[in-house]
Amino acid sequence: MKIGITCYPTYGGSGIVATELGLELARRGHDIHFITYSNPIRLDTDIPRIHYHEVEVTSYPLFQYPPYSLALASRMTDVAEAYDLDLLHVHYAIPHSISALLARQMSARRSRRLPFVTTLHGTDITLVGMDPSYFGITKFSIEESDGVTSISDDLRRHTLDVFAPEKDIRVIHNFVNCDIYRPDPERAGAAHYAPNGEKLIIHLSNFRPVKRVLDCVRVLAELRKTTNARLLMVGDGPDRGPAEHLAGTLGVKDDVLFLGKQNHVERLIPLAHAILMPSEMESFGLAALEAMACGVPPVATRVGGVPELITDGEDGFLEAVGDIDALAARAAQLLNDDALHARMAAAARRTATTRFCADKLIPRYEAYYEEVLRAGL
Ligand code: GMT
């Protein structure tokens, strides 16, 4: 198949899923055309069958907000025609599915059939889409999509309840490449971050308020009362400054290492003994899955689709949002009880490999594309 993929090319779960999906599909022989405003972060464009088409958004003094959605729709239409695309797959509803809808209509004028699949990732539904200024257009874009997938049952339920009760929405969970994300029993390189033999916990996110990164710092401060531990903070975003400030205030500045955006998180995650994901909301929790594939058990909050990934007490721990004491106690348990850690690390890897490896989930996308293509005939 020839597939156009659009996503946010920056750091963030939806862009990562879209990029990894494109790479996996190309490995399986499909021609993949990324249509975005810049090169997606994890995308190596010299891979066979991977193509990249930049969307240029021309500015003009009249435009206070250059109309990216329109430039994208135009580019989608042109790329579809030039490369004979079979369908578009857009990640994150706003504004990508509306651009795809326009591209479908413009292509029809040129006698080209161009169906599109929208994958809902989370905040496009639970936060942004709920805002009154985007609600109507989000609902419309879901209704008009030729196919809709959701990355968890929880997100599907929420979408049906709030946006589109009649829509057939397929759940295709997040996936991970289990060959790239794998345990490193030696934790080679950990000493660089833990020169005094500290145990490491890690947090990865885009540092948005929904991730509650300040809770990570509070948990570390609490954890250090019983455990010689350090926290690796990977990523960047609006709450990084406040988190750095809080680390100073709580007296743990030297034990919270802010590493910024990292291109090879698969090298960092296996160095940790646990991952911390204290989010306010998480439709799935891709970072936790990546860690589990590395045999790093998660200490997370019981929200959204997270329980579809983590079984509390077996392959990770789930606690209430904002319960710093409970999160710190769980992390302490994992870091101080080697037998428990070994059992949970193995269970976490097993969950990733048996249920969420790319080779299990990618064929579901392929089958869904075929179904969408057949449906319109
Ligand atoms: O978590 C974020 O803020 C990024 C966001 C995105 O769309 O880029 O992530 C969402 O998509 C991920 C991949 O499908 C999911 O694993 C995350 O759970 C989801 N984030 C939220 O629901 C907050």
Side-chain angles (χ1 to χ4, degrees):
M1 266 179 267
K2 296 181 194 133
I3 302 158
I5 292 184
T6 293
C7 61
Y8 285 106
T10 50
Y11 288 77
S14 57
I16 291 169
V17 169
T19 306
E20 300 285 354
L21 172 64
L23 292 171
E24 296 285 345
L25 288 167
R27 271 183 213 118
R28 295 167 72 94
H30 302 284
D31 271 310
I32 304 301
H33 295 259
F34 282 91
I35 310 169
T36 56
Y37 62 78
S38 71
N39 203 350
I41 45 150
R42 290 196 192 171
L43 186 68
D44 220 344
T45 43
D46 56 8
I47 291 172
R49 293 181 291 280
I50 289 284
H51 313 266
Y52 167 60
H53 309 274
E54 187 166 311
V55 180
E56 287 199 29
V57 192
T58 307
S59 202
Y60 184 70
L62 201 57
F63 299 155
Q64 187 173 356
Y65 307 104
Y68 172 63
S69 322
L70 303 185
L72 174 60
S74 235
R75 192 82 168 118
M76 283 169 159
T77 312
D78 292 345
V79 171
E81 183 159 345
Y83 294 90
D84 196 22
L85 298 190
D86 295 305
L87 61 79
L88 296 173
H89 186 175
V90 299
H91 294 258
Y92 212 87
I94 310 246
H96 302 143
S97 49
I98 289 298
S99 303
L101 171 59
L102 285 173
R104 184 178 74 189
Q105 289 175 339
M106 287 193 285
S107 297
R109 283 286 174 95
R110 300 179 191 177
S111 306
R112 162 168 299 280
R113 189 171 161 250
L114 187 63
F116 70 98
V117 170
T118 300
T119 290
L120 307 172
H121 282 270
T123 50
D124 44 355
I125 293 300
T126 57
L127 274 177
V128 185
M130 299 293 279
D131 187 281
S133 53
Y134 295 120
F135 181 84
I137 199 84
T138 303
K139 182 169 161 54
F140 180 61
S141 75
I142 294 167
E143 288 165 349
E144 288 296 314
S145 298
D146 297 283
V148 180
T149 77
S150 146
I151 51 100
S152 65
D153 288 312
D154 184 77
L155 183 60
R156 174 179 178 275
R157 269 194 303 276
H158 185 88
T159 311
L160 292 178
D161 287 350
V162 180
F163 288 93
E166 307 294 326
K167 196 76 185 177
D168 176 10
I169 299 177
R170 297 298 163 82
V171 175
I172 306 180
H173 283 115
N174 281 174
F175 58 86
V176 64
N177 184 320
C178 295
D179 298 324
I180 295 175
Y181 288 80
R182 54 171 193 226
D184 173 6
E186 306 303 319
R187 293 203 161 75
H192 179 65
Y193 303 104
N196 302 310
E198 297 93 339
K199 295 242 167 117
L200 292 173
I201 55 175
I202 193 166
H203 170 80
L204 296 97
S205 77
N206 48 21
F207 286 51
R208 301 204 183 282
V210 71
K211 301 292 178 181
R212 294 183 71 103
V213 290
L214 276 73
D215 280 2
C216 294
V217 178
R218 295 186 183 107
V219 167
L220 191 272
E222 191 56 36
L223 176 64
R224 279 196 58 83
K225 293 178 183 166
T226 59
T227 308
N228 188 22
R230 282 186 136 188
L231 171 62
L232 301 182
M233 296 288 274
V234 180
D236 213 329
D239 278 350
R240 176 170 171 174
E244 284 175 329
H245 181 74
L246 182 65
T249 311
L250 296 179
V252 291
K253 195 165 146 288
D254 294 340
D255 298 307
V256 183
L257 310 180
F258 290 88
L259 305 184
K261 292 175 180 172
Q262 296 284 327
N263 281 337
H264 290 285
V265 293
E266 75 281 4
R267 295 177 195 161
L268 278 172
I269 299 171
L271 307 183
H273 291 84
I275 181 171
L276 205 48
M277 194 176 71
S279 306
E280 180 88 34
M281 171 43 84
E282 204 65 67
S283 291
F284 182 84
L286 179 64
L289 172 58
E290 291 176 340
M292 290 166 81
C294 296
V296 176
V299 177
T301 39
R302 192 179 289 103
V303 289
V306 177
E308 294 169 43
L309 167 66
I310 301 169
T311 305
D312 184 34
E314 276 183 30
D315 49 19
F317 285 118
L318 296 176
E319 295 296 345
V321 175
D323 192 340
I324 305 300
D325 289 347
L327 291 164
R330 291 309 195 183
Q333 253 181 295
L334 272 172
L335 269 49
N336 293 314
D337 181 341
D338 289 348
L340 174 79
H341 186 273
R343 203 165 58 241
M344 279 206 166
R349 169 77 185 167
R350 200 160 48 242
T351 296
T353 53
T354 55
R355 295 178 53 209
F356 299 109
C357 274
D359 55 1
K360 299 209 159 41
L361 277 304
I362 304 301
R364 305 226 2 239
Y365 277 112
E366 289 177 307
Y368 191 53
Y369 295 154
E370 307 250 349
E371 192 181 324
V372 166
L373 287 172
R374 269 198 314 272
L377 294 178

